[in-house]
Amino acid sequence: MAEEKKAQSSGVWPKVKPFVNGGASGMLATCVIQPVDMIKVRIQLGQGSAGTVTRNMLKEEGVRAFYKGLSAGLLRQATYTTARLGSFKMLTNKAIEANDGKPLPLYQKALCGLTAGAIGACVGSPADLALIRMQADATLPAAQRRNYSNAFHALYRIVADEGVLALWKGAGPTVVRAMALNMGMLASYDQSVEFFKDNLGLGEAATVVGASTISGFFAAACSLPFDYVKTQIQKMQPDASGKYPYTGSLDCAMKTLKAGGPFKFYTGFPVYCVRIAPHVMMTWIFLNQIQKAEKKIGL
């Protein structure tokens, strides 16, 4: 029995398990959150408030409009969340080993979150680009719509029309945004779990809900300005002369700041926060349940 456990711990599964679990939990959470994410993108594209966007989508496009881009969203989770949660788990485990098994200070968790976010964003950037374009497509004039049928069709068309490197268009702001989000989300979650368990003595369910809510807020507050810039870069179209409205993320940030002030970056914050917090919460809840099921069957 001891030899069997040793073989399991030294095999491939323990190394890939954090990545598989992270991707699966993220994909399950996305299935629930997709409609709110769709509304958030429409708000950032200037179509009005959450109520106005929702009414217009139902009236003009029907219920299916809320799930447009779901395939790209799932592909994004299968790449981005698989990489970031798996990397974060591995990085924190290594850091704990180097720290003689003691809990990590907040700054080390933040560094692990920053690194995991960068890794995840590099892997998931093509799917993220496909998701943004599919969600924004209905807002464009009919002549400018790309009419992607699904995520893989979008990726194929992007490569065919714009080249392979176009898959990483906007990757710079995507990576920066992911680093900010994961620093806020992952570090605050781990820190909150320790506080709720050790200081307040809360149970597992209350700890997961409380820590997820806190990490969701910090993830939203840290990442929304970068998310706004990233969305503007990824959806921009050239004018009649072939010139794009922004030369890069910094140019977009400066023009946005000049035109609307710092609060322009927080356009759609309530909806964004409402979308991020439940997604974070459900991701951790699904992850917890997946880990329980694996433990029960001996994985």
Side-chain angles (χ1 to χ4, degrees):
M1 179 67 78
E3 290 181 2
E4 185 179 341
K5 286 185 177 179
K6 185 177 180 182
Q8 286 180 348
S9 64
S10 60
V12 175
W13 175 241
K15 294 181 176 63
V16 302
K17 183 164 73 169
F19 296 91
V20 173
N21 291 352
S25 60
M27 291 173 76
L28 289 169
T30 292
C31 290
V32 180
I33 294 301
Q34 179 70 13
V36 183
D37 192 36
M38 189 70 185
I39 293 170
K40 183 265 296 183
V41 170
R42 296 287 183 96
I43 290 172
Q44 288 185 329
L45 295 175
Q47 292 197 347
S49 65
T52 301
V53 168
T54 302
R55 285 193 300 270
N56 289 342
M57 288 176 67
L58 282 171
K59 183 179 178 181
E60 298 171 10
E61 304 171 62
V63 176
R64 291 184 64 182
F66 291 97
Y67 285 92
K68 189 166 186 179
L70 178 61
S71 60
L74 292 175
L75 180 60
R76 180 177 183 270
Q77 293 300 319
T79 52
Y80 169 62
T81 298
T82 295
R84 66 173 176 141
L85 291 187
S87 298
F88 182 74
K89 185 68 174 176
M90 291 187 68
L91 289 168
T92 51
N93 285 345
K94 292 291 184 182
I96 289 171
E97 286 179 17
N99 204 30
D100 298 324
K102 298 176 185 177
L104 299 178
L106 182 58
Y107 80 91
Q108 288 189 5
K109 293 173 185 173
L111 289 173
C112 290
L114 284 168
T115 306
I119 293 170
C122 290
V123 174
S125 188
D128 192 52
L129 176 63
L131 174 63
I132 291 293
R133 287 194 176 185
M134 290 179 72
Q135 289 179 329
D137 207 40
T139 68
L140 299 173
Q144 295 182 18
R145 292 178 187 174
R146 300 179 175 95
N147 297 315
Y148 300 137
S149 58
N150 55 56
F152 295 103
H153 179 233
L155 295 175
Y156 170 78
R157 282 275 306 280
I158 291 169
V159 172
D161 298 343
E162 305 170 51
V164 175
L165 293 181
L167 292 173
W168 281 269
K169 181 181 287 185
T174 297
V175 170
V176 173
R177 179 253 189 191
M179 291 172 71
L181 186 147
N182 284 283
M183 180 185 69
M185 172 185 165
L186 300 176
S188 65
Y189 180 81
D190 266 21
Q191 195 73 17
S192 298
V193 167
E194 290 179 10
F195 176 76
F196 288 139
K197 280 186 176 180
D198 300 338
N199 296 75
L200 300 183
L202 297 182
E204 181 181 342
T207 295
V208 171
V209 171
S212 297
T213 303
I214 291 172
S215 67
F217 174 80
F218 279 105
C222 291
S223 65
L224 182 54
F226 302 101
D227 183 78
Y228 182 87
V229 172
K230 175 182 70 72
T231 300
Q232 297 302 311
I233 292 291
Q234 289 183 328
K235 80 171 185 71
M236 65 181 180
Q237 291 267 1
D239 58 19
S241 63
K243 184 178 180 182
Y244 284 95
Y246 309 114
T247 58
S249 56
L250 182 60
D251 181 54
C252 177
M254 295 305 295
K255 286 180 178 177
T256 301
L257 184 64
K258 184 178 180 180
F263 289 108
K264 182 67 174 177
F265 293 106
Y266 283 91
T267 300
F269 179 75
V271 173
Y272 185 75
C273 196
V274 166
R275 179 249 167 182
I276 288 291
H279 193 282
V280 168
M281 187 181 301
M282 284 182 284
T283 297
W284 292 119
I285 290 172
F286 281 129
L287 181 60
N288 181 261
Q289 293 303 310
I290 290 170
Q291 290 172 334
K292 279 185 177 180
E294 289 173 343
K295 190 175 182 180
K296 187 177 292 186
I297 62 176
L299 288 177

